[in-house]
Amino acid sequence: MKAWLTFSPKIVSNSIISNLIKNYDIDFNILRADITPEGGKMLIEISGTQQKQAAEFMEKEGIHLNPINKVVKKDEEKCIDCGACISLCPVKAINTTEDWTVEVDDLKCVGCNFCTKSCPTRAIWVTE
Amino acid sequence: MKTVEEINERIKDGDAVVVTAAEMTALVKENGAKKAAEEVDVVTTGTFGAMCSSGAFLNFGHSDPPIKMSRTYLNGVEAYSGLASVDAYLGATQPNRKPDIGLEYGGSHVIEDLINGKEIELHAEAYGTDCYPLTVIKTQITLENLNQAVMLNPRNCYQNYASATNSTDETLYTYMGTLLPNMGNVSYSSAGELSPLLNDPYFQTMGTGTRIFLCGAQGYIIGEGTQFATEVERKNGVPITTAGTLMLKGNMKEMDAEYVRGATMPKYGPTLYVGAGIPIPILNQEIAQRTAISDEEIVCQIVDYGVPRRNRPIVKETNYHELKTGAIELNGMEVPTSPLSSQKKALEIALKLKEWIDKGEFYLTSPVEKLPSKGYTVKPLEIQKPRTLVKDLKGETLILAHPNDAINEVAKKMVQNNINHLPVVDDNNKLLGIVTSWDVANAVARDKNNLTDVMTKKVIIAREEEPVDVIARRIDKNKISGLPIIDKKNQVKGMVTAEDISRLMGGD
């Protein structure tokens, strides 16, 4: 599961995330974070058997959870496998196979749209 | 050792041994160039990259009554018509004249649509003559109905090309693709060891009249391309920078859109992905050795596109083997790399050309005249008028604000001096921020009295040594109306505004 977490200034100093990792059987990966005295936003990816419980715990502690359902798609007809998108992806969701075919991994995609804006043939897009 | 005629005899008999440039590299490594030269007849190369200097001559045929077209538009894209009455040259990078479409559908897209057999709207205008009375035409055309549709590309297949990165703190949109800030990525465009001109670096086999694979059809090299150069630094026999180029010609009616695509580099404009493959006859051991070049042996420079000048600084020297791993080390950081040309299609093209030769559908030609192998350099365009630098702008009295100034004092300064921007500096005249009349109005409206709360802290600046034209582009790109001038010691020297620049440009 990928989600944006937003938290208020009041709980910025609480050690919610470390408790989360300690108490639940999950892998926790921070993809982006922006934390200021006015509060914080964090893009995370959680995997593991206790994802649901972990999400409930965060909500209970005052973190607002906004799951991302965006996935990246590629039009095989339009794509020329040039690879211009590869180095732009912040989460390495775009790679090439052995024969240089460009492959997108929609599980990794965070929907930033960097690739879609930069595709020379407009062959790639992000959808809900 | 062998002649092109002998190789063609073998092709006819179905006996020719044809391998791709990548296979040849492995073959020579294993058995040596001597043995490879004896065994192999032809090495096929391939590339599929964005080649802006491309286009097509079209002949529409005569209408009744006839017209001498002086302006033509194809699906809204202008083609150059300063030729005889119904000829036009459609350039790949020409944007659409409709502002809402602009860069999204240009000359390259029309070329792709024509090759795909789609109907294209032709809009032609003329001034009318006794022999050509008609002044306007609006109709539909297709590739089939054109008399001629000849792709003629003045500069394709660069022998080598620098890869790009960006040292500035803003994203740049270039013909090398999107370049992330702070050297966040590197893009490269050559097909490396498969690339045609890297496999015959001294042009021992190719020139005017060489038959090639062009966009799925059989086309020709018609001479050296524009910006052709030979006098460049080489390593392992191949240029480490841009050098040779080709002028290519092919019949669009025989092309396959699988090997030619219209594309748009974001915020740069349309470009054409051209698929080209050149067969190299293995006439002797030396030619065999040259075609054995590997990605590792082809050196490539990474240059900084953050500097918008003719000579961009070189950040690092690398090779295609390293670039193709997907990441490269720059200043201690691992930076992801992107190919801009399709390595997959480059190989497909080399294989397709091999298939044609194997099947006896493609015969080699000896060039009528080989490409020059020495004596060519690229001349720069010197601008006659001296370039105006920021420091040459007529300086007005330097008016500054300090962080502790009261808002009403700042407002007074602006009104008295009839200005809209005020740099905010510390005691050493170092820039802290900028405040505009809008910021002052904002402060009053929100009851804020502290200048540091309303000023913009991330300021876009102009350096004294920068050309004014670069600043004009910066103002335009960032949609701002003025920016402070900073000297080498980071001290504020003045302001340059959009009005200053338009006054200067208007005075030309």
Side-chain angles (χ1 to χ4, degrees), chain B residues 101-122:
Chain B
I101 302 174
L103 306 180
E104 287 301 306
Y105 184 96
S108 64
H109 299 92
V110 178
I111 290 172
E112 181 187 332
D113 281 350
L114 276 169
I115 292 170
N116 270 324
K118 289 191 185 164
E119 269 202 347
I120 306 287
E121 184 200 71
L122 167 68

Side-chain angles (χ1 to χ4, degrees), chain B residues 406-480:
Chain B
I407 293 288
N408 60 344
E409 286 299 321
V410 174
K412 246 184 234 165
K413 261 188 200 173
M414 284 181 166
V415 173
Q416 277 166 3
N417 296 290
N418 193 23
I419 51 173
N420 286 312
H421 313 81
L422 218 45
V424 183
V425 297
D426 67 9
D427 294 339
N428 296 319
N429 261 10
K430 290 223 168 104
L431 188 68
L432 296 173
I434 191 163
V435 62
T436 64
S437 42
W438 168 252
D439 294 329
V440 172
N442 217 351
V444 173
R446 293 181 182 193
D447 229 5
K448 286 189 172 173
N449 292 315
N450 208 337
L451 189 56
T452 47
D453 289 345
V454 294
M455 71 182 188
T456 304
K457 287 172 192 137
K458 194 165 184 285
V459 189
I460 294 157
I461 59 159
R463 295 261 170 205
E464 279 191 311
E465 298 301 322
E466 287 183 297
V468 171
D469 314 64
V470 172
I471 304 306
R473 165 77 188 150
R474 193 170 300 155
I475 286 178
D476 195 38
K477 187 178 171 185
N478 293 290
K479 298 188 173 60
I480 51 176

Side-chain angles (χ1 to χ4, degrees), chain A residues 78 80 82-83 87 118 120 122, chain B residues 104 178 185 261 264 338-339 342:
Chain A
K78 280 189 178 172
I80 53 173
C82 72
S87 68
S118 297
R122 304 287 181 268
Chain B
E104 287 301 306
T178 303
N185 67 340
R261 285 297 174 87
T264 294
S338 272
S342 174

Side-chain angles (χ1 to χ4, degrees), chain B residues 385-386 388 393 468 498-508:
Chain B
K385 180 173 69 86
T388 312
L393 288 173
V468 171
E499 290 100 81
D500 293 337
I501 289 188
S502 50
R503 210 176 304 126
L504 187 79
M505 306 265 174
D508 274 358

Side-chain angles (χ1 to χ4, degrees), chain A residues 44-57:
Chain A
I44 55 130
E45 188 177 2
I46 321 177
S47 55
T49 53
Q50 290 184 299
Q51 279 184 51
K52 206 166 151 246
Q53 292 89 326
E56 281 163 8
F57 169 78

